[in-house]
Amino acid sequence: MALSEQTLAKIREELSHYPNPQGALLRALHLVREDRTTLSEEVYSELASIFGMRTGEVAEIASFYSLFRQPPAQAVIQVCTGLPCCILGAREIVSEFEKRLGICAGRTTADGRFAIEEVECLGSFSTAPVIQVNNSPYLEGITPEVAAILTGSPAMAIGARQPTPATSWIPDGIEGYLLPPNGERWLKLSEYQEHGGYQAAEKASRMAPADIARLVQDANLRGRGGAGFNAGMKWSFMPPRNERPRYLAVNADESEPGTFKDRQLMERNPHLLLEGIMIASMAIQADAAFIYIRAEYVEAYQIVNDAIAENYRSGLFGADAKFMKRRFDVHIQPGAGAYICGEESGMLESMEGKKGQPRKRPPFPAQFGLWGNSTTVNNVETLAHLPAILTRGADWFKSRGTKKSGGHTLFGVSGAVRRPGIYELPLGTRLRDLIFKYGGGLDEGRNLKAIIPGGVSMPVLKPEQIDIPMDHDSIRAAGTMLGTAGVVVMDDQTCPVRAALVVARFFRHESCGQCTQCREGTGWVHKILKRIEHGEGTPQDLETVADCCEFMDGKCICALADAAAMSARGFLTQFREDFEAHIRELRCPFPESFAS
């Protein structure tokens, strides 16, 4: 037998949470890795017998996810090399580990004690550089000196802990409603209730489902996951109630470089999310909610899982859920390191225990979602706004943002600023204020070079555009998008070609390979940008990059290729003179830029 009885018992417990047992497959694979470190054909065979699958099917699904493809070692040191981490020295941290361990990234030491892995995003950009050893909590703000200490032994690296840095704030003069004030964390049900928690759910329980949806639609709560679609209107797409189950799928898989807001909500105010889930589930008449969280969020997973368990004990969830007046279940399941699972249909596939490849649409999730049933997909932050809307009303919510974008949002500011972090502020806050008033500005003597306004998928802005209001419509008028409101700041030392290269590498790595245009296009863009950055480019390369972007944009099942094209095209359009200088001078003209 490959698996221990203890692991088998945990897998059986997970099986009970899903209408189709295969939904527990990813969690089972994680449990096996915790037990055995590596996956093998023997493991796949035993899991196949548990899940009623073929051995090859289990192996194929596991191979799709990067966390199940890590090199075998006692301690796998994962270094985030996303753009904000690179700007703040991630490459130096990789080099320090390589020097100390005598191996290159992607390799394992001969004795099997250590491996080094470069990863694209760990969702903690305000505390860069960041590493994660196996499935231990993050180590943030890493220096070469700390890296040297961690190579002392696998046990030392795995067991290393540090206090979680404070990275999210409600600025003075702002009446916050998403984050607890003064750096507090309301983890317990009693703490949340002391501050008015679950009063909104009680109010919603006395309303008709359609009235809840209408209130949220009137408040003009636009989705905070990137698309910015009206949440209440999205709920209205659910068909009339019938005998089949209905679900709410919660997207907590924030994996885009520059984005780290949902983690703050889950780690500081988990019951706000759970109350939002209850309200949304009343509106769409969902029988259960499933939270899909990125597996790297070890602490957030445990905090939310503990909050769910507390709600079951208190009767808020379960067979006769208070306020719901019926059975209502909430479960949390981890992903396994695939950015594509942030796309809603790719997430649904992964939640069902499959490869997270996006579905062709129609049908849309409201008609054919989890296990073929009607499903609404909402982002963590979107749901976190619902309690305030229910208790204070639509007019109050709209007064906190702009006419067409109501409420606050959690702006992430990272990169070359003095005070990186998450700031709860009204939509419409100016980009200049985010960078200089809240983010503390740049180091003395440095000037702005470029700003990505909403996660690396969004087209880049130039310094003369920073007076733009940060709301969905104003920023779209400037030729980019608000996205996840993750602002990445680059100073005048930063090479824009190198920045574009790092982002292109991310998209090449994260393409699921299902669409030819995306699979081949992201690879070509990355390869050509690498050639230009290394001083080997030609003028024709610039036209080829533009052609590749046209080849990808709007041609694929999901928006990953669109995002890759928008990013590369944005850098090329805004900073063409710097691309041309690389080609003309046969070198990078930014000698002090970060190492990529």
Side-chain angles (χ1 to χ4, degrees), residues 437-467:
K437 181 178 179 180
Y438 302 110
L442 284 65
D443 286 341
E444 187 174 354
R446 301 263 60 89
N447 296 307
L448 277 176
K449 177 70 177 181
I451 314 99
I452 300 175
V456 299
S457 296
M458 303 300 108
V460 65
L461 296 172
K462 298 184 82 170
E464 52 266 33
Q465 296 174 286
I466 64 170
D467 285 311

Side-chain angles (χ1 to χ4, degrees), residues 355-374:
K355 295 188 293 184
Q357 292 182 314
R359 301 171 178 175
K360 294 181 180 179
R361 287 160 291 183
F364 293 92
Q367 284 71 47
F368 190 91
L370 280 173
W371 302 289
N373 297 302
S374 296

Side-chain angles (χ1 to χ4, degrees), residues 56 106 121 124 127 160 285 308 310 360 365 394 396 469 486 533 551 587:
C121 169
S124 187
T127 55
Q285 303 177 72
I308 291 170
E310 195 171 14
K360 294 181 180 179
W396 175 89
E533 169 60 16
F551 174 72
R587 64 180 181 86

Side-chain angles (χ1 to χ4, degrees), residues 246-250 277-278 281 286-291 308 312 328-332 351 370:
R246 299 156 71 87
Y247 300 118
L248 175 68
V250 182
I277 286 171
M278 292 174 69
S281 296
D287 298 285
F290 294 89
I291 304 170
I308 291 170
Y312 270 100
F328 181 66
D329 292 300
V330 177
H331 302 297
I332 184 169
M351 293 172 89
L370 280 173

Side-chain angles (χ1 to χ4, degrees), residues 56-326:
E57 283 184 287
V58 177
E60 180 185 13
I61 290 166
S63 70
F64 180 83
Y65 297 95
S66 62
L67 289 182
F68 300 142
R69 301 196 307 267
Q70 290 181 340
Q74 295 177 45
V76 180
I77 300 172
Q78 304 159 81
V79 185
C80 179
T81 53
L83 179 59
C85 282
C86 277
I87 290 172
L88 294 180
R91 183 58 53 194
E92 286 79 0
I93 301 303
V94 172
S95 297
E96 183 66 25
F97 282 124
E98 290 177 330
K99 181 180 72 175
R100 295 281 176 177
L101 297 174
I103 55 173
C104 295
R107 300 294 182 88
T108 303
T109 56
D111 56 12
R113 297 169 78 233
F114 286 100
I116 306 168
E117 189 84 334
E118 294 181 20
V119 294
E120 290 296 338
C121 169
L122 287 176
S124 187
F125 296 108
S126 62
T127 55
V130 181
I131 70 168
Q132 186 171 37
V133 183
N134 295 358
N135 63 338
S136 298
Y138 292 159
L139 298 173
E140 302 171 276
I142 293 298
T143 64
E145 291 74 23
V146 172
I149 294 171
L150 294 175
T151 58
S153 71
M156 183 181 296
I158 295 167
R161 297 291 185 273
Q162 64 179 18
T164 302
T167 59
S168 54
W169 299 275
I170 305 171
D172 291 343
I174 301 298
E175 181 190 6
Y177 62 86
L178 294 170
L179 297 171
N182 305 317
E184 296 175 21
R185 303 172 82 194
W186 299 341
L187 305 186
K188 300 295 184 183
L189 174 59
S190 58
E191 295 171 327
Y192 184 61
Q193 289 175 321
E194 286 172 7
H195 297 90
Y198 292 106
Q199 291 180 10
E202 182 177 14
K203 180 178 180 180
S205 71
R206 301 191 298 269
M207 300 171 63
D211 291 338
I212 301 172
R214 190 175 302 111
L215 173 63
V216 173
Q217 185 171 340
D218 290 345
N220 201 17
L221 169 62
R222 298 176 68 165
R224 301 302 200 256
F229 194 77
N230 185 293
M233 185 177 294
K234 186 176 186 178
W235 296 346
S236 72
F237 298 156
M238 292 284 278
R241 178 84 193 185
N242 57 28
E243 72 282 357
R244 293 182 64 84
R246 299 156 71 87
Y247 300 118
L248 175 68
V250 182
N251 188 345
D253 190 57
E254 60 175 357
S255 305
E256 177 155 334
T259 308
F260 51 108
K261 59 188 175 64
D262 291 347
R263 177 190 171 200
Q264 294 301 306
L265 284 169
M266 291 185 286
E267 291 187 359
R268 291 188 57 192
N269 207 3
H271 283 281
L272 181 70
L273 167 61
L274 299 185
E275 186 172 18
I277 286 171
M278 292 174 69
I279 294 167
S281 296
M282 291 180 199
I284 65 172
Q285 303 177 72
D287 298 285
F290 294 89
I291 304 170
Y292 185 89
I293 185 171
R294 61 178 306 181
E296 295 92 337
Y297 280 180
V298 175
E299 289 186 286
Y301 175 90
Q302 192 59 56
I303 287 169
V304 175
N305 200 38
D306 289 346
I308 291 170
E310 195 171 14
N311 279 6
Y312 270 100
R313 292 193 298 270
S314 71
L316 288 171
F317 299 158
D320 185 20
K322 186 179 180 181
F323 306 140
M324 308 293 286
K325 302 182 179 67
R326 56 182 169 82

Side-chain angles (χ1 to χ4, degrees), residues 323-355:
F323 306 140
M324 308 293 286
K325 302 182 179 67
R326 56 182 169 82
R327 180 167 196 92
F328 181 66
D329 292 300
V330 177
H331 302 297
I332 184 169
Q333 57 187 134
Y339 167 74
I340 196 64
C341 293
E343 193 277 338
E344 65 176 20
S345 67
M347 183 184 78
L348 296 178
E349 288 287 293
S350 187
M351 293 172 89
E352 293 179 1
K354 305 171 185 174
K355 295 188 293 184

Side-chain angles (χ1 to χ4, degrees), residues 493-498 501 528-539 541-542 575-593:
Q493 287 183 337
T494 303
C495 171
V497 178
R498 195 170 302 180
L501 171 63
I528 295 169
L529 291 180
K530 188 174 184 179
R531 188 161 66 223
I532 295 171
E533 169 60 16
H534 290 173
E536 301 167 358
T538 67
D541 284 335
L542 302 184
F575 300 100
R576 189 177 183 94
E577 64 276 12
D578 293 313
F579 282 77
E580 292 172 345
H582 279 72
I583 294 168
R584 184 174 58 253
E585 299 176 22
L586 300 178
R587 64 180 181 86
C588 175
F590 293 87
E592 297 181 339
S593 188

Side-chain angles (χ1 to χ4, degrees), residues 365-445:
Q367 284 71 47
F368 190 91
L370 280 173
W371 302 289
N373 297 302
S374 296
T375 303
T376 290
V377 180
N378 283 140
N379 164 267
V380 166
E381 190 197 335
T382 305
L383 295 167
H385 290 273
L386 299 180
I389 293 173
L390 264 290
T391 54
R392 304 189 190 192
D395 289 340
W396 175 89
F397 189 77
K398 286 188 287 189
S399 74
R400 262 52 187 180
T402 67
K403 184 177 180 180
K404 294 185 177 181
S405 296
H408 292 180
T409 200
L410 298 180
F411 290 103
V413 185
S414 63
V417 291
R418 292 175 175 174
R419 291 197 302 270
I422 293 289
Y423 297 92
E424 180 180 340
L425 291 162
L427 282 167
T429 299
R430 292 193 177 272
L431 181 55
R432 178 185 294 276
D433 288 338
L434 283 174
I435 297 170
F436 291 98
K437 181 178 179 180
Y438 302 110
L442 284 65
D443 286 341
E444 187 174 354

